[in-house]
Amino acid sequence: MPKTEMTYIDAIRSGLDHLLKDHKDVVVYGQDVGAFGGAFKATLGLQEKYGTDRVFDTPISESAILGSAIGMAMQGLRPIVEVQFVDFITTAFHQILNNAGTTYYRTKIPVPMTVRAPCGGGFGGGPFHSEELENFFCHIPGIKVVYPAYPSDARGLLYSAVLDPNPVIFLENKFLYRRIKEFILPKGEAVPIGVAQIRRTGNDAVILTYGAMVHESLHAAEQISAEGFEVMVVDLRTLKPYDIDAILSAVAATNRVMVVHEAWKTGGFGAELAALVAEHAFHLLDAPIVRITAPDCPVPFSPELERVYRPSVEKISEALLDLINY
Amino acid sequence: MNSQATKKIKTNTSVNIWLRILKTMFLGRLTEERLVRLYHQGKIFGGVYTGIGQEAIGAVSAHIGTPDDLYAPAIRNVTVHLGRGTKVLDVFRQYLGRVTGPTRGRDGNVHYGEMDKGVFAMVSHMGAMLSVLVGGVMARRRLGKSTMGFAYIGDGASSTGDFHEALNFASVFDVPILFMIENNHYAYSTPKEFQYRCQSLVEKACGYGMEGLEVDGNDVIKLYDQIKIILEKIRKNNRPVLLVCDTMRMRGHGEHDDASYVPKELLLKYKEKDPIHLLKKHLLNNDFACEQDLKKLEKECLDEINQSYKKALSEPMPSPDDLLEGVYAED
């Protein structure tokens, strides 16, 4: 089967298409996802192909979107809902925390729902269209959280998320939607939830990262390779449950750890990773763990401000040299 | 000999259903009275939240649905659970945190459901179950069933954003649901005057483009007739309807609350309108039942309750070893 070039958003659309085709219990809904094809065109053409019964628009009612998806999932459908921007999920947070997260534990009724939520900044989206909220979800028992960085993973993890019997928060990075391309098979395989991927090998340090920051980290690693240092980059792909074995092996192989993410620093996912390494691999560390994250301030609008807000290749490579030369 | 017993007992097509409703109300009332005692005896973990005085709404609607219908009961709807066939024993197990109960000790008091009986287990967040029910009904209909839904909330929950989102959603998607607001005058300590400023909550219906009706929520006969007519319409038109039921919370928010903020006259007024009393009176005055029959029915319920709570008390708690079992569903 010949491979075709797909962007990150193409791969998501392709995944939705295959899921709708192969699984009659899949429905796709959310704001503007019908004839319009979604704010980012992830669902373009799907309503035409599968009908208004299976791909449909909703009122601006995040809580009813998520609540109804929970009800549908409990009755045997596999709803995939799109929250237009992850920022807007906050008005429906209780449905994820209290309903989706606790239902199976309390009642033994599975909730196989998938919530797609575009995240991240870098395009002048300002405070309410650029947030990175992964850690809010990772904190919740009963919820799984995935965050792909490549088209093949976006589609493969979408397959796994939708077929998983649990609620899965599927985080997509808007900055990557049209910037990252890959030659992939027309359908491809599911990518298992909970398995990290080493994107670059190296023994001088390891960067633990995910989402858009995988790409920034790879660029930074290439930059300092010219200076003779080789840095491993681990793309976590799943944030809950995250791949503890892969992380600890990477730490053992490098002894120097950097965490990079686009979300805020305090209580961010990097804090979880740093704590894991400190708990289980303290004796392996040759230097303090470094966290490169957004600072604790709202996502700024002006490009001049966002440039310094968002972790950059320069910031990462500079910090890598400090870490390696500690 | 009791003069009643010599009377000829009449019947009509509704008598059997009225008697079933009465039995469910007896079971609900007597179960909760026992729960209150167990609470004051220190045998209950957490609180006890009763629907005493409000049994009619749940009992009537539970008996009027079909096996395919879905229910999202709220805090005061023990009669929904019992009317759909949940055993009194399971109610006690739930309150007593037993591993044998519907949530196996993972959740308490009113947070249980029985999906095989079409009943969702509520979360505490007022209004949050409404859209879950909307989705559930949409799904079942997609899967080929002629399901409709029954939703229950109080006057307090009608102030939530979730109420608005769910009713609007159901209307936009033509989801056949009977949304029942049980206006029991108080949300914890807050009187209804601080929840809304419309004349009646039924006015909210027109904003969602759905029909809205009001009914005396304590009068089983009126409720039954009214709901029956509404259901025919809902099933025929596939449209949601809002039904505002006037009733009264006769005890505190929970048993920890003496409800001293509720005027005595209000409680007295509704004591006269006690739904069990009203139905019994109707049955006796019209010779649809005799005093002895009703006493016998009540006694049967009481016996079941006494056996059930004792049995539940003797059953095991969950094992601490199982704390982490089933946080996630396995493939």
Side-chain angles (χ1 to χ4, degrees), chain A residues 75-97:
Chain A
Q75 296 303 324
L77 294 186
R78 292 184 183 276
I80 306 173
V81 294
E82 177 178 304
V83 174
Q84 205 159 72
F85 289 80
V86 78
D87 315 56
F88 303 150
I89 229 171
T90 50
T91 61
F93 194 61
H94 65 300
Q95 293 291 8
I96 296 175
L97 172 63

Side-chain angles (χ1 to χ4, degrees), chain A residues 49-315:
Chain A
K49 199 162 168 187
Y50 297 100
T52 50
D53 268 4
R54 297 188 66 200
V55 181
F56 54 91
D57 292 327
T58 66
I60 303 178
S61 301
E62 279 79 9
S63 182
I65 293 169
L66 292 177
S68 60
I70 291 164
M72 285 187 195
M74 289 175 76
Q75 296 303 324
L77 294 186
R78 292 184 183 276
I80 306 173
V81 294
E82 177 178 304
V83 174
Q84 205 159 72
F85 289 80
V86 78
D87 315 56
F88 303 150
I89 229 171
T90 50
T91 61
F93 194 61
H94 65 300
Q95 293 291 8
I96 296 175
L97 172 63
N98 303 298
N99 251 329
T102 67
T103 294
Y104 186 73
Y105 188 71
R106 297 183 304 129
T107 68
K108 286 264 177 198
I109 297 164
V111 185
M113 68 187 286
T114 302
V115 182
R116 292 182 39 241
C119 312
F123 62 98
F128 315 116
H129 292 76
S130 309
E131 288 174 338
E132 285 270 301
L133 305 181
E134 56 271 15
N135 229 31
F136 288 83
F137 309 117
C138 291
H139 196 56
I140 305 173
I143 301 287
K144 295 185 180 182
V145 182
V146 300
Y147 199 158
Y150 288 86
S152 51
D153 280 349
R155 191 175 60 185
L157 281 167
L158 187 62
Y159 291 154
S160 294
V162 173
L163 300 179
D164 196 280
N166 297 284
V168 181
I169 308 294
F170 186 91
L171 302 175
E172 305 170 2
N173 192 279
K174 301 190 289 286
F175 192 78
L176 303 182
Y177 271 165
R178 288 173 177 81
R179 284 183 178 84
I180 300 298
K181 294 175 186 168
E182 246 183 328
F183 280 94
I184 57 178
L185 290 166
K187 187 172 178 188
E189 300 289 321
V191 171
I193 290 174
V195 183
Q197 176 82 46
I198 296 171
R199 296 293 177 192
R200 190 181 193 283
T201 54
N203 291 318
D204 293 316
V206 61
I207 300 178
L208 306 174
T209 186
Y210 53 90
M213 290 301 126
V214 171
H215 303 281
E216 307 298 312
S217 299
L218 285 169
H219 288 312
E222 287 306 317
Q223 267 191 12
I224 69 156
S225 175
E227 300 184 35
F229 301 112
E230 296 305 332
V231 172
M232 184 190 288
V233 175
V234 176
D235 172 4
L236 295 175
R237 304 199 292 185
T238 298
L239 303 185
K240 191 162 190 181
Y242 60 85
D243 192 341
I244 294 175
D245 291 345
I247 294 166
L248 295 181
S249 305
V251 175
T254 58
N255 311 109
R256 288 164 202 264
V257 180
M258 176 182 288
V259 180
V260 181
H261 61 61
E262 200 182 331
W264 298 302
K265 188 166 197 172
T266 303
F269 198 70
E272 172 63 27
L273 294 172
L276 173 89
V277 174
E279 266 180 344
H280 297 282
F282 181 70
H283 59 290
L284 294 173
L285 294 178
D286 287 346
I289 300 163
V290 175
R291 283 185 288 165
I292 302 295
T293 69
D296 291 335
C297 78
V299 190
F301 169 69
S302 164
E304 279 308 294
L305 294 175
E306 196 177 12
R307 193 171 52 75
V308 291
Y309 169 86
R310 208 162 169 263
S312 63
V313 174
E314 292 67 35
K315 244 186 265 178

Side-chain angles (χ1 to χ4, degrees), chain B residues 93-131:
Chain B
R93 286 165 164 164
Q94 172 74 3
Y95 265 95
L96 294 165
R98 263 39 186 196
V99 71
T100 45
T103 61
R104 296 156 293 131
R106 274 131 188 255
D107 204 343
N109 49 65
V110 296
H111 307 103
Y112 60 104
E114 310 81 356
M115 214 67 261
D116 60 322
K117 299 175 177 70
V119 183
F120 282 101
M122 65 173 280
V123 297
S124 294
H125 304 62
M126 291 293 96
M129 296 308 296
L130 297 176
S131 61

Side-chain angles (χ1 to χ4, degrees), chain B residues 169-183:
Chain B
F169 216 79
S171 183
V172 166
F173 292 113
D174 293 319
V175 188
I177 290 179
L178 178 59
F179 289 100
M180 282 169 278
I181 300 179
E182 298 182 51
N183 191 341

